[in-house]
């Protein structure tokens, strides 16, 4: 693994090189299999190329378990220890801001075991979302548009719930939003299973858990790290960090 990444570093001139993640179910039941599929599907993780895979080397915004040139740390510093999640994302985006380049290569593969329950999946994505506003604050802006989609949907859903309580138009808007999302999730779940119908219920649960967990965590992070920063709100992780 290390030797091949170092070889790519020398051949490409990149500052950081990483491989793709092959997402493996953490159990044999259909729910565990569905979670693994969701975590490697564009509807679940957007254009996170190291999760959905690439056919050829590609310049990207982040890679997992990357191999860095030694001088990178002398130039941009080390991992930010204030972060309990997203440390690698923050470091990689800091590298990009300083003119660095990150390469994802398809011929280096690591196996990543997904969470084995929806509760653990929710906890993980909630924490990913929760710390993104802090990362954006440190970097001076949001680095990728994909991280804004789940919080935008979650905010629209919360606004729809509030609007539904005061007007019939609000109820119609909420029903339209929910119906559209359910329809899109259903299509994505059916297409992702490739004929394995037993996995559809698990995907119908996994996709919303990922989207809403991340989105609501992001909105909570905006409150804690941006709106109420320095006003005594708790800055530590809202959930215990565990698998």
């Amino acid at each position: 693994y290390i030797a091949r990444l170092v070889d790519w570093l020398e051949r490409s001139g990149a500052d950081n090189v990483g491989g793709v993640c092959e997402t493996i179910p953490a159990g044999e039941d259909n729910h565990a299999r569905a979670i693994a599929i969701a975590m490697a599907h564009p509807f679940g993780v957007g254009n996170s190329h190291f999760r959905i895979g690439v056919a050829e080397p590609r310049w990207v915004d982040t890679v997992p378990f990357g191999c860095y040139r030694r001088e990178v740390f002398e130039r941009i510093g080390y991992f930010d220890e204030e972060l309990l999640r997203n440390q690698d994302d923050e470091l990689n985006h800091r590298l990009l801001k300083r003119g660095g380049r990150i390469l994802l290569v398809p011929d280096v593969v690591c196996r990543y075991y997904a969470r084995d329950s929806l509760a653990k999946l929710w906890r993980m994505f909630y924490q990913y979302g929760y710390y993104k506003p802090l990362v954006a604050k440190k970097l001076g802006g949001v680095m990728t548009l994909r991280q804004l989609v789940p919080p935008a949907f979650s905010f629209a859903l919360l606004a729809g719930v509030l609007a539904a309580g005061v007007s019939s138009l609000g109820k119609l808007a909420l029903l339209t939003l929910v119906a559209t999302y359910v329809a899109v999730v259903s299509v994505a779940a059916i297409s992702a299973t490739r004929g394995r119908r037993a996995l559809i219920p698990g995907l119908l649960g996994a996709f919303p858990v990922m989207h809403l967990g991340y989105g609501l965590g992001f909105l909570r992070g905006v409150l804690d790290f941006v709106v109420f920063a320095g006003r005594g709100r708790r800055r530590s992780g809202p959930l215990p960090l565990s698998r």
Side-chain angles (χ1 to χ4, degrees):
Y1 182 85
I2 296 174
R4 293 174 73 177
L5 291 181
V6 169
D7 180 58
W8 271 107
L9 273 182
E10 304 213 343
R11 282 194 285 155
S12 67
D15 297 279
N16 177 20
V17 175
V20 298
C21 277
E22 179 186 355
T23 306
I24 307 296
E28 297 298 324
D29 59 282
N30 286 331
H31 282 290
R33 295 180 183 278
I35 289 171
I37 292 173
M39 290 190 64
H41 193 277
F43 187 68
V45 295
N47 64 340
S48 181
H49 293 288
F50 73 86
R51 290 192 183 277
I52 64 177
V54 292
E56 57 187 19
R58 182 187 183 103
W59 299 107
V60 293
D61 55 79
T62 191
V63 291
F65 324 120
C67 182
Y68 297 82
R69 295 183 181 275
R70 178 64 182 85
E71 58 265 26
V72 164
F73 304 105
E74 298 170 353
R75 191 165 84 244
I76 71 171
Y78 304 105
F79 282 114
D80 187 330
E81 296 185 28
E82 185 180 4
L83 298 172
L84 299 183
R85 291 288 192 193
N86 303 317
Q87 304 96 325
D88 52 346
D89 283 343
E90 190 275 338
L91 183 69
N92 285 326
H93 290 320
R94 200 186 329 146
L95 174 60
L96 293 176
K97 287 191 68 174
R98 305 282 181 86
R101 296 190 301 165
I102 302 172
L103 184 67
L104 176 67
V105 296
D107 61 342
V108 178
V109 180
C110 61
R111 288 187 169 185
Y112 174 87
Y113 286 87
R115 301 304 196 259
D116 60 2
S117 72
L118 292 180
K120 294 179 181 178
L121 185 67
W122 173 276
R123 181 184 302 166
M124 179 179 71
F125 273 84
Y126 186 94
Q127 291 170 357
Y128 283 165
Y130 180 77
Y131 281 98
K132 281 296 184 183
L134 179 58
V135 171
K137 183 178 180 180
K138 288 174 175 289
L139 294 172
V142 174
M143 298 299 292
T144 59
L145 292 178
R146 67 172 178 266
Q147 64 189 247
L148 296 180
V149 177
F153 170 69
S154 299
F155 182 81
L157 194 61
L158 292 174
V161 171
L162 294 176
V166 297
S167 72
S168 57
L169 185 60
K171 291 180 181 178
L172 178 61
L174 177 62
L175 288 174
T176 301
L177 177 63
V178 172
T180 301
Y181 180 73
V182 169
V184 174
V185 168
S186 299
V187 171
I190 292 171
S191 65
T193 59
R194 299 178 181 177
R196 294 170 290 177
R197 295 183 179 180
L199 299 177
I200 292 177
L203 282 165
L204 292 176
F207 282 138
V209 161
M210 293 167 65
H211 296 157
L212 291 175
Y214 188 103
L216 294 176
F218 189 101
L219 296 178
R220 169 71 184 278
V222 169
L223 292 177
D224 283 3
F225 299 119
V226 181
V227 178
F228 297 108
R231 301 183 190 179
R233 288 183 69 94
R234 183 160 58 98
R235 294 287 297 273
S236 59
L239 293 171
L241 292 174
S242 70
R243 292 190 62 85

